[in-house]
Amino acid sequence: MARSLSGSELRQLVDSLVLDCDDMASHSKAMLYCTAQHYLDGKIPWEMTFEVDRWPDYTAVLWTPKDNDASVLAVEKDSVHVFLYWTDEDGLRQLLTSRSVDWTRQLLLVAFPLSGLSVLKEHLELQGVPCLAEEDVYPCDTAYYLHETCSSVDKVNGTDKVSVGPLRPEHNQLVSRTWLHGNTPEAEKYIHYQISTFPSACVYDEEGNPVSWILFNYYGSQGVGYTLPDHRGKGYFQLASKYLISTCLQKGFVPFLFIEDYNEPSRIIHKKLGYSWVEAGRCAYIHLNGNKSS
């Protein structure tokens, strides 16, 4: 029977997770590990529910903010993030009937593995949720950096007059303005939280102004990468990315990110950086019941 985990049980779950770098379809496990670890460390300031299909020999886990408690930091206040990890479809089916999720409200399923899409559609039909339209599903590849080290961040063509380091919280407005889902007070607050709490990387010009950056999400993926138009083509994003990769490796995280199908420039640059992806790691950001913001 499905049940929510206590704090001590959540610690047991984290300790049971083995992140296998050879398993390139395990991004959900990596997201579960990062979210649960950050939650236990007090780095996620909203209440969350972690629910398993059974305990302790679980085969599926669902986690989501509790009672919309994350709205203070959400980019879209009416949306709720839902995450799912499973090794058995029966476990997935059981958690999809969880009472901790109201499937009729606006939801965002974060990086939902496409291997479970048919099971999800069956469940939504039973719940009376409108069928998924093509514009509600944003397919992605999960790109992993599977090397043990990262090449030096000190030498990139044209970067001898720049420096690299973490973003600073006061840069949240700039990052928000250039983010596809940003440029709102809620987005500024969320970006401020990310920069203040988790690793990030930024290339600064001679005057100390940010010109290229990338952030680390609370669930473990990298994202919100951007280079100001006047500074593109100089290798700055590669410099920022190498810095963040090195930081993640030092902290014991497997660097990974999601590349949308339409974003061929991102695919090219991350391949150069040493990322790789396979069909088994295909996933999608899925918007339910009218939510179009991620």
Side-chain angles (χ1 to χ4, degrees), residues 11-59:
R11 171 57 64 189
Q12 292 178 50
L13 182 143
V14 170
D15 292 341
S16 74
L17 294 171
V18 178
L19 301 183
D20 185 357
C21 292
D22 294 327
D23 181 5
M24 294 181 65
S26 63
H27 69 272
S28 293
K29 185 194 295 185
M31 291 195 301
L32 172 59
Y33 175 84
C34 288
T35 308
Q37 185 64 65
H38 290 149
Y39 186 67
L40 290 168
D41 290 344
K43 293 183 178 180
I44 296 178
W46 55 82
E47 290 295 318
M48 296 197 72
T49 295
F50 292 82
E51 190 168 309
V52 294
D53 60 327
R54 60 189 189 218
W55 185 257
D57 54 340
Y58 65 90
T59 68

Side-chain angles (χ1 to χ4, degrees), residues 185-231:
E186 293 80 14
E188 288 182 15
K189 192 170 186 178
Y190 182 71
I191 294 296
H192 187 280
Y193 156 70
Q194 284 188 279
I195 295 173
S196 302
T197 310
F198 301 110
S200 63
C202 179
V203 174
Y204 297 92
D205 65 15
E206 292 179 87
E207 288 74 39
N209 300 309
V211 297
S212 183
W213 54 82
I214 186 168
L215 278 63
F216 182 90
N217 291 310
Y218 72 88
Y219 49 87
S221 71
Q222 299 179 24
V224 198
Y226 190 82
T227 300
L228 296 177
D230 291 344
H231 298 276

Side-chain angles (χ1 to χ4, degrees), residues 43-79:
K43 293 183 178 180
I44 296 178
W46 55 82
E47 290 295 318
M48 296 197 72
T49 295
F50 292 82
E51 190 168 309
V52 294
D53 60 327
R54 60 189 189 218
W55 185 257
D57 54 340
Y58 65 90
T59 68
V61 186
L62 180 152
W63 63 107
T64 186
K66 187 176 181 180
D67 299 327
N68 199 31
D69 192 51
S71 61
V72 67
L73 290 174
V75 176
E76 174 56 60
K77 288 187 176 182
D78 293 329
S79 68

Side-chain angles (χ1 to χ4, degrees), residues 9 14-16 39 42 44 114 119-120 128 142 147 156 182 193 201 207 215 217 230 233 248 256 275-276 278 281:
E9 289 170 337
V14 170
D15 292 341
S16 74
Y39 186 67
I44 296 178
L114 290 182
V119 175
L120 175 65
T142 307
H147 311 283
V156 175
Y193 156 70
E207 288 74 39
L215 278 63
N217 291 310
D230 291 344
C248 288
F256 71 97
Y275 282 85
S276 54
V278 295

Side-chain angles (χ1 to χ4, degrees), residues 47-117:
E47 290 295 318
M48 296 197 72
T49 295
F50 292 82
E51 190 168 309
V52 294
D53 60 327
R54 60 189 189 218
W55 185 257
D57 54 340
Y58 65 90
T59 68
V61 186
L62 180 152
W63 63 107
T64 186
K66 187 176 181 180
D67 299 327
N68 199 31
D69 192 51
S71 61
V72 67
L73 290 174
V75 176
E76 174 56 60
K77 288 187 176 182
D78 293 329
S79 68
V80 174
H81 287 189
V82 177
F83 302 80
L84 283 150
Y85 162 70
W86 69 90
T87 58
D88 180 87
E89 283 193 354
D90 288 338
L92 172 62
R93 287 188 173 92
Q94 184 171 344
L95 286 186
L96 287 174
T97 63
S98 167
R99 294 183 179 181
S100 61
V101 176
D102 178 1
W103 293 96
T104 64
R105 67 168 300 170
Q106 291 185 355
L107 301 173
L108 172 62
L109 303 189
V110 181
F112 184 85
L114 290 182
S115 60
L117 192 58

